[in-house]
Amino acid sequence: MASSRLKYLSLGVLVFQTTSLVLTMRYSRTLQAEGPRYLASSAVVVAEVMKIFACVLLVLKEHSYSMRALNSILRQEILHKPIETLKLAIPSGIYTLQNNLLYVALSNLDAATYQVTYQLKILTTALFSVSMLGRRLGIYQWLSLLILMTGVALVQWPSESAVTPEKEAHSAGSQFVGVAAVLVACCSSGFAGVYFEKILKESKQSVWVRNIQLGLFGFVFGLFGMLAYDGERVRESGVFQGYNTVTWTVVALQALGGLVIAAVIKYADNILKGFATSLSIILSTLISYFWLQDFDPTGVFFIGAILVIAATFLYGYEGKPSPNPSRA
């Protein structure tokens, strides 16, 4: 009974985190407010700081809140093993790029289209798992990947609508930028996730310590990116320009959401994760249409979305592969 409750709690957490992050991020990037809009590069840096702090607290909890034990673990695993620590610079840099790309994507795509298209990360993760980890996929999984690509292609199928040529050209340009950002993010997510999984399998260290190492590199890379691309705006209006309640909610969801998923994922099997993804896509579609009002669904979109949802279930149908550790 307790196990069943944990499964449904996991389902609720997965759906809430996935849906709320996408919708609030989209809302924050399209919200008309006075003053300058917050910098996406700044939000990525602040999220890394929050994530490091949360992971430090989790490591502290693992060692009975002993500051001496925490200090010893961090010195031993980070300072005394520089080569092992430097290995995480690669996935950390890629994750930093990915996080910035997600802001670009949701600045140019509605939440529903983004949610469906981003499921291509299943394809990239599978391909990198085969090439880097030597994992073998079953017939159902290969079939699901073909269905997935077909579904995403249908979702991106241009729709006929009564708009002016200027607005249509602007919309097409924005959609191209958004889709390109999602595709690059999918590739980076697949590679970095599999690379990180490989590192975790080769070591016995706590996933929270590994996330502290990732967070430290992510903070450095993110800070460098912020100063390189938005340095002038930061000097003019500060790092926290444009921040409001919605912005802080987005940052908190991005920083802590992955940690929550990492904590509950062991209770969620492949079918449950597929169900959570499907519910998230449906909720994102409904809320984008009724609340954000930035999405006009078509019959082709619904067919594509159904194919993507079916592919998600089918991919986890054959066998029960070991849970993939992922960066929180």
Side-chain angles (χ1 to χ4, degrees), residues 98 121 124-126 128-129 132 185-195:
Q98 175 191 331
K121 64 185 178 180
T124 58
T125 301
F128 282 119
S129 294
M132 294 172 64
C186 286
C187 292
S188 64
S189 174
F191 175 78
V194 173
Y195 185 97

Side-chain angles (χ1 to χ4, degrees), residues 139-141 143-145 147 309-318:
I139 184 65
Y140 288 107
Q141 291 171 315
L143 179 61
S144 72
L145 296 179
I147 296 173
I309 291 171
T312 304
F313 277 104
L314 187 60
Y315 186 79
Y317 174 75
E318 190 171 67

Side-chain angles (χ1 to χ4, degrees), residues 125-189:
T125 301
L127 295 179
F128 282 119
S129 294
V130 171
S131 60
M132 294 172 64
L133 300 179
R135 186 167 294 161
R136 300 183 65 179
L137 301 181
I139 184 65
Y140 288 107
Q141 291 171 315
W142 285 114
L143 179 61
S144 72
L145 296 179
L146 291 174
I147 296 173
L148 177 68
M149 288 188 291
T150 304
V152 171
L154 288 175
V155 166
Q156 298 302 329
W157 197 268
S159 59
E160 297 180 1
S161 54
V163 293
T164 62
E166 293 81 3
K167 186 175 181 181
E168 185 177 1
H170 175 73
S171 176
S174 297
Q175 180 150 359
F176 176 79
V177 171
V179 171
V182 174
L183 293 179
V184 176
C186 286
C187 292
S188 64
S189 174

Side-chain angles (χ1 to χ4, degrees), residues 1 94 106 130 140 146 150-151 153 197 219 224 286:
M1 188 70 177
I94 295 173
L106 281 165
V130 171
Y140 288 107
L146 291 174
T150 304
E197 178 183 349
F219 172 75
F224 177 79
L286 293 175

Side-chain angles (χ1 to χ4, degrees), residues 1 209 247:
M1 188 70 177
V209 174
T247 309

Side-chain angles (χ1 to χ4, degrees), residues 203-268:
S203 67
K204 297 181 180 179
Q205 189 47 259
S206 164
V207 68
W208 308 126
V209 174
R210 291 293 178 235
N211 273 284
I212 292 174
Q213 294 170 308
L214 280 172
L216 291 173
F217 281 116
F219 172 75
V220 173
F221 289 138
L223 186 63
F224 177 79
M226 180 180 70
L227 295 177
Y229 291 99
D230 296 313
E232 186 175 343
R233 296 172 66 184
V234 169
R235 285 189 290 272
E236 288 178 357
S237 306
V239 174
F240 299 105
Q241 59 180 287
Y243 273 56
N244 52 32
T245 305
V246 177
T247 309
W248 283 110
T249 302
V250 171
V251 172
L253 284 170
Q254 189 174 31
L256 305 180
L259 300 179
V260 172
I261 288 178
V264 304
I265 204 70
K266 59 183 177 181
Y267 300 110

